[in-house]
């Protein structure tokens, strides 16, 4: 699924959490595949794609090489995962935590 960056921020507000650590990826959250110095988070996407209730944010280049994953309903395609994480997902999650801490928003898993 392709979404705008503002839609991505809205999704982050509604999620229970987000992570770039595949070991912490779980239903109700968002996994953002980031390229690190030693590991590329995209290498864990195939193992996570069938996790019901988990949204995966994956880069366009990875999905060109893995078109079967692109078809999954819980996959969001972005051009640059680092940019999406830095500018929109992290910002949305921070807003959700601040709002939640004031009792104005009850976040829950969508699935």
């Amino acid at each position: 699924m392709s979404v705008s960056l503002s839609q991505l921020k809205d999704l982050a507000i509604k999620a229970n959490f987000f992570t770039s650590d595949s070991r912490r990826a779980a239903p109700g959250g968002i996994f953002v595949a980031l390229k690190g110095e030693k590991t590329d988070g995209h290498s864990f996407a195939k193992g996570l794609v069938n996790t019901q209730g988990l949204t995966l944010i994956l880069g366009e280049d990875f999905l060109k090489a893995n078109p079967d994953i692109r078809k999954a309903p819980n996959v969001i395609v972005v051009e640059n995962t680092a940019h999406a994480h830095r500018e929109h997902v992290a910002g949305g999650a921070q807003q959700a935590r601040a709002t939640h801490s004031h009792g104005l928003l009850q976040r829950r898993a969508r699935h």
Side-chain angles (χ1 to χ4, degrees), residues 74-88:
N74 60 333
V75 170
I76 294 176
V77 182
V78 296
E79 185 175 328
N80 182 314
T81 57
H83 175 74
H85 178 263
R86 182 177 54 251
E87 299 296 327
H88 300 282

Side-chain angles (χ1 to χ4, degrees), residues 11-92:
L11 179 64
I13 290 171
K14 295 174 185 172
N16 290 330
F17 65 93
F18 74 96
T19 185
S20 58
D21 184 341
S22 63
R23 297 167 294 184
R24 295 185 179 177
I30 297 174
F31 171 73
V32 184
L34 298 176
K35 293 180 183 179
E37 291 180 25
K38 297 181 180 180
T39 307
D40 183 348
H42 289 92
S43 62
F44 301 102
K46 288 182 181 181
L48 294 173
V49 75
N50 291 321
T51 303
Q52 197 168 29
L54 174 68
T55 300
L56 284 75
I57 299 176
L58 305 173
E60 180 68 41
D61 290 341
F62 172 78
L63 292 169
K64 284 179 184 175
N66 297 277
D68 53 316
I69 293 177
R70 177 187 289 274
K71 298 174 188 173
N74 60 333
V75 170
I76 294 176
V77 182
V78 296
E79 185 175 328
N80 182 314
T81 57
H83 175 74
H85 178 263
R86 182 177 54 251
E87 299 296 327
H88 300 282
V89 175

Side-chain angles (χ1 to χ4, degrees), residues 90-105:
Q94 286 173 344
Q95 181 179 345
R97 280 194 300 275
T99 305
H100 182 70
S101 69
H102 289 95
L104 300 175
L105 175 68

